[in-house]
Amino acid sequence: MSDSLFTDSDLPRQAREILPGVIHLPGWLDVTQQLFLVRQFQLFAQRGIPPHSPDIFGKKMSVQMTSLGWHWSNYEYTQSVPELGGAAPLPVPDWIVRLGRRAVEDAYARPNLQWPVEETERTIRWARSYTPDMALVNYYSPQASMGMHQDKEERSSAPIVSLSIGDTAIFRAGNTETKNHPYIDLRLASGDLVVFGGPSRFMYHGVPKILVGTAPTDIGLHSAGLTEGRFNLTLRDTGLAALATAGLPLK
Ligand SMILES: O=C(O)CCC(=O)C(=O)O
């Protein structure tokens, strides 16, 4: 029997704990919610930090980014962006915090997970206190990719919430030690949610490929002036607010 008979794309897309603490919920956002998000991304781009490709140690990323709450560049969070005329990030709106809480709750308040091991009641209470203070909107053109990296500039081990809209991406979920094997390649389609926390909070991860032409036609990409590509909304709790208030160094 040919191996290609049952490729990843043919198998039913089910909610799965990919690795301990890494939960994939396919189709978590419906079309109306995706449309809403695409419109909001346009507003963020018009009113906040303009989408740009950050330099990482002198090399431009292929992804375009804008962010709320904090600006991220070259492995550092800042509150203003001198290279973009001193622009400051817009605040994280309440609806994003609510979205993040719902995502963490839906991901972790499920039976039979390897992580967390707490009972459901406690997990729900814990998920409801999730307060992302930073949201990153990444836009991938069909040629864009993101190399393997850890999200580790945060002073908090709260989970990362990641939503996909537009073309399907190959998302590489790795290990906490190296950028290399072992890792798992996962297809993230429009509307999918991934939450990673607990033992996998600091896993290496990346997006090696965008599958061109796979975006649904009814999620408003055209009205955003786009015919293709993928948005990713990543929510993070930086844990930096207390340091900033106390005037302490953020690094
Ligand atoms: O686009 C994605 O799914 C991942 C984004 C990501 O890894 C990041 O923003 O750090």
Side-chain angles (χ1 to χ4, degrees), residues 136 138 140 146 149 151 162 171 188 205 207 230 232 234 236:
L136 192 60
N138 294 311
Y140 295 75
M146 193 179 285
H149 65 282
D151 293 347
S162 170
F171 177 78
L188 296 185
H205 59 282
V207 176
R230 168 180 184 258
N232 162 255
T234 286
R236 300 173 180 167

Side-chain angles (χ1 to χ4, degrees), residues 126-205:
W126 167 79
R128 285 190 181 150
S129 69
Y130 179 63
T131 307
D133 64 340
M134 196 269 167
L136 192 60
V137 181
N138 294 311
Y139 174 72
Y140 295 75
S141 69
Q143 296 74 33
S145 60
M146 193 179 285
M148 292 294 272
H149 65 282
Q150 293 168 297
D151 293 347
K152 61 174 187 187
E153 288 70 61
E154 300 76 34
R155 299 294 177 83
S156 153
S157 56
I160 303 286
V161 167
S162 170
L163 289 161
S164 296
I165 296 178
D167 280 332
T168 297
I170 303 295
F171 177 78
R172 185 160 288 172
N175 61 82
T176 54
E177 303 299 322
T178 85
K179 296 183 178 187
N180 305 317
H181 283 286
Y183 54 68
I184 293 171
D185 281 350
L186 190 66
R187 278 171 195 248
L188 296 185
S190 200
D192 286 12
L193 165 69
V194 171
V195 180
F196 54 99
S200 297
R201 166 60 181 79
F202 295 100
M203 71 173 182
Y204 281 91
H205 59 282

